[in-house]
Amino acid sequence: MVVLAASICTKGGKAVLSRQFHPMTRTHIESLLASFPKLIPTNSQHTSVETAQVRYVYQPLEDLYILLITNKASNILQDIDTLHLFARVVSDICRTADEREIQKQSFELLGAFDEIVSMGYREQVNLIQVRSILEMESHEEKIQDIIARNKEAEAKEELKRRARQLELQRREQQKRAAVSGSGGSSYLGGGISGYSAVPQRFDAPEVPAARIASPAPASSARTPPFKGSGMKLGSKKTRQAELLDALGGELVSEELSAPPTPPITDPSPAPTSTRGSLPSITAESVHIVIKEQIDVSLMREGGVKSMEVKGDMNLQVSDPALAHIKLALPSPTTDFGSDLQFKQHPNVAKFVPGQKRIVALKDPSRAFPVGQALAVLKWRYAGRDESLVPLSINCWPSPSNDGTCEVNIEYELENENVTLHDVVISIPLPTGSYPSVTTTTQGDYSINPATHSIDWSIPLVSTVERSGTLEFTVGGDDASMFFPVRVSFVGRGSIAGIGVDAVSRVDGGEDPAFSVDAVVTTGDYLVL
């Protein structure tokens, strides 16, 4: 099956949208589409017509036609199935199948077409997988949007509050000036001296104690600048605490301890490092950064409830002479099968089925951008295969007859592609009970008073030291009190086995030196 192009045209043969999967000029594809309506026989039930060079497989789409242009050696049954998938994708993305709506959604449609057919060959995807690939939602972007909206709303509320306070202060001063002016008119013949006394009435609660001890005559006659009271600063801190709760603790705690004045200015949060104790990498002229995050929910009896791995590869070239390159990826050591989905940058060529995975630009004459990181590849896995879990956790509570419970917990590294650092396994404890640790083979442990749990910390888990055991006894006979177990770590490598074997020049010159920084982090790693 070789699909030359997928197109949407009018009944008269005018091209509305077309995606060519083989090199074809615009005039060529327009001439093919213009001749297509003339080939359709009247009162025919067939959905394909042929010429001496190509075959048209088509389907009416209200007032338009959606069609595939293939070579004559293509399997027509597979072509018809592919055409139906194209039609379902168009109906899913566009609200109505008219020319204006299709042109409006042209970018999304072209992206979906590329996911269905690559290099003229059908990809093994369905409508749900195409929809999932096109979404590619970013959790970090959502968090930043929420933070920005809350800061904007907070600033507006603060401005309204200050405006109300200024208005109340102005009315209070006018009221006091009127009362003082009527009482002091017999002494100085006017209300000016009464009005000048108003700042003294307001000065006492605002000036610090050190200044009250030695007041200056000039300062007593000057109205102090407006400052928010302590109660208002407390309300600002409450709004920040509510923001932290709404975001699930995503914000750094430095915002709560920032200086409270001025009330509108928010302090910049201190940058947090996600590398932990991972050793740093010296960046070469060609530097590749691979980031992966895993979210997994393991069942305490065994098995996986859900597992998701997301990753991306960023390429940064600092030398303009090395901008024309291509990256060779290693053969996968872990079989994720077709559940591991890849998405390339629009300017990066897709992988050729059955061949070595190469990351290179579609146009060899173009160069990668210099001095900035470019996300060239993304991948995602979602499944329930227990053999793909990088670190297995076995938590085994055994209640005793004396009201205590003996808990055995062990871990083992299952994926040799990664080396884990700063591993923390957190086991909840029954309320009011504290454990007595009998055995620990790796790392150390501590009690976390914030969560009332025992945190087992292992500095390094590798193929050399891949397992460990912790045993403790604690009061309580309910085994469910020790779940969920939470795991966090930062790792070196890639769970999906994505890396870079070699970097070579497109023109065949000497291979440049390159560096790879592959980091794995955890989202929600739980044993339920």
Side-chain angles (χ1 to χ4, degrees):
M1 171 185 175
V2 177
V3 179
L4 304 179
S7 306
I8 301 175
C9 68
T10 63
K11 299 283 185 175
K14 176 188 173 183
V16 178
L17 181 71
S18 181
R19 178 69 172 99
Q20 291 73 252
F21 302 105
H22 279 266
M24 298 176 68
T25 62
R26 178 173 180 173
T27 56
H28 187 193
I29 190 66
E30 287 180 345
S31 65
L32 289 175
L33 293 177
S35 61
F36 161 67
K38 304 173 185 177
L39 301 173
I40 301 176
T42 58
N43 300 325
S44 174
Q45 299 297 324
H46 296 288
T47 59
S48 65
V49 292
E50 295 184 0
T51 65
Q53 292 82 21
V54 297
R55 175 190 294 148
Y56 299 91
V57 183
Y58 63 93
Q59 176 180 328
L61 198 65
E62 295 186 5
D63 294 334
L64 305 173
Y65 280 117
I66 181 170
L67 66 151
L68 300 182
I69 303 176
T70 70
N71 59 9
K72 298 181 67 174
S74 178
N75 187 324
I76 191 170
L77 296 179
Q78 294 182 3
D79 293 341
I80 293 174
D81 182 65
T82 304
L83 177 66
H84 291 166
L85 179 57
F86 272 102
R88 289 197 300 271
V89 167
V90 173
S91 301
D92 184 68
I93 295 177
C94 300
R95 290 176 296 180
T96 58
D98 56 33
E99 185 173 349
R100 178 178 297 180
E101 179 68 15
I102 288 175
Q103 290 179 347
K104 181 180 178 181
Q105 303 291 342
S106 58
F107 182 79
E108 293 293 330
L109 289 173
L110 290 176
F113 286 5
D114 284 342
E115 299 300 333
I116 299 173
V117 176
S118 175
M119 303 295 290
Y121 294 91
R122 164 75 182 273
E123 298 282 356
Q124 297 300 319
V125 294
N126 53 34
L127 178 60
I128 297 177
Q129 291 173 327
V130 172
R131 187 185 302 157
S132 175
I133 293 171
L134 292 178
E135 287 176 356
M136 279 296 183
E137 295 183 353
S138 171
H139 178 67
E140 290 78 8
E141 182 180 0
K142 288 183 178 180
I143 293 299
Q144 293 302 320
D145 289 342
I146 293 174
I147 294 174
R149 287 196 299 268
N150 280 275
K151 286 185 176 181
E152 183 179 355
E154 183 180 342
K156 290 180 180 179
E157 289 296 326
E158 183 65 23
L159 289 175
K160 291 180 182 179
R161 184 187 65 82
R162 292 191 63 179
R164 288 195 298 267
Q165 285 196 349
L166 287 172
E167 180 65 21
L168 291 175
Q169 184 184 27
R170 185 181 64 81
R171 292 180 181 178
E172 185 70 17
Q173 287 178 348
Q174 291 177 350
K175 185 187 298 184
R176 293 182 181 275
V179 174
S180 300
S182 61
S185 59
S186 61
Y187 180 68
L188 292 177
I192 300 178
S193 63
Y195 182 77
S196 64
V198 173
Q200 297 176 359
R201 300 290 297 271
F202 280 82
D203 203 20
E206 297 291 334
V207 178
R211 295 185 181 180
I212 294 175
S214 57
S219 63
S220 65
R222 182 177 69 252
T223 303
F226 172 76
K227 293 183 180 180
S229 63
M231 289 299 291
K232 298 302 178 182
L233 293 177
S235 65
K236 172 177 172 58
K237 184 174 180 180
T238 302
R239 287 196 298 272
Q240 290 179 340
E242 293 174 351
L243 174 61
L244 271 178
D245 294 338
L247 298 177
E250 292 286 339
L251 290 176
V252 292
S253 60
E254 283 80 2
E255 290 192 15
L256 292 179
S257 60
T261 55
I264 297 180
T265 304
D266 289 326
S268 299
T272 58
S273 174
T274 58
R275 297 184 61 89
S277 61
L278 281 182
S280 59
I281 299 294
T282 303
E284 299 287 349
S285 298
V286 178
H287 185 58
I288 301 102
V289 178
I290 299 174
K291 296 180 180 179
E292 275 187 348
Q293 177 174 308
I294 179 171
D295 293 85
V296 62
S297 296
L298 306 174
M299 306 300 293
R300 67 185 76 172
E301 298 87 0
V304 178
K305 183 178 181 181
S306 64
M307 177 178 172
E308 182 182 46
V309 178
K310 290 183 178 180
D312 59 76
M313 176 185 292
N314 291 269
L315 170 64
Q316 182 166 359
V317 179
S318 57
D319 188 354
L322 304 177
H324 294 79
I325 56 175
K326 57 183 179 180
L327 314 180
L329 308 189
S331 301
T333 56
T334 304
D335 185 15
F336 281 81
S338 60
D339 292 331
L340 183 62
Q341 301 173 359
F342 290 94
K343 185 175 182 66
Q344 287 89 347
H345 187 279
N347 292 332
V348 175
K350 292 184 176 292
F351 297 147
V352 179
Q355 297 185 14
K356 189 175 181 65
R357 294 170 178 169
I358 301 295
V359 175
L361 293 176
K362 293 179 180 178
D363 186 356
S365 62
R366 298 183 61 179
F368 284 105
V370 178
Q372 66 181 34
L374 176 67
V376 295
L377 181 65
K378 294 183 179 181
W379 58 93
R380 177 178 179 269
Y381 166 81
R384 302 173 62 181
D385 190 347
E386 189 174 9
S387 63
L388 302 177
V389 175
L391 186 71
S392 62
I393 305 294
N394 184 13
C395 183
W396 197 281
S398 301
S400 303
N401 295 328
D402 57 357
T404 62
C405 192
E406 181 180 347
V407 181
N408 294 265
I409 184 166
E410 62 179 356
Y411 68 86
E412 184 173 1
L413 181 67
E414 304 290 350
N415 192 327
E416 297 185 356
N417 293 329
V418 294
T419 300
L420 308 183
H421 297 253
D422 304 335
V423 180
V424 178
I425 304 174
S426 181
I427 307 100
L429 298 173
T431 304
S433 299
Y434 292 89
S436 175
V437 177
T438 57
T439 304
T440 176
T441 59
Q442 298 289 344
D444 54 9
Y445 60 90
S446 61
I447 302 299
N448 189 339
T451 58
H452 192 61
S453 59
I454 179 171
D455 290 352
W456 183 19
S457 303
I458 305 97
L460 179 65
V461 178
S462 63
T463 54
V464 178
E465 297 179 346
R466 61 190 309 157
S467 62
T469 304
L470 174 71
E471 298 181 8
F472 62 89
T473 303
V474 66
D477 55 3
D478 186 1
S480 63
M481 296 294 293
F482 303 97
F483 297 93
V485 177
R486 298 184 177 272
V487 183
S488 64
F489 57 78
V490 58
R492 168 78 68 197
S494 169
I495 296 174
I498 306 299
V500 178
D501 267 354
V503 176
S504 57
R505 295 175 181 264
V506 176
D507 57 7
E510 182 181 356
D511 293 347
F514 67 96
S515 56
V516 179
D517 187 10
V519 180
V520 180
T521 57
T522 57
D524 291 327
Y525 203 114
L526 306 174
V527 181
L528 304 177

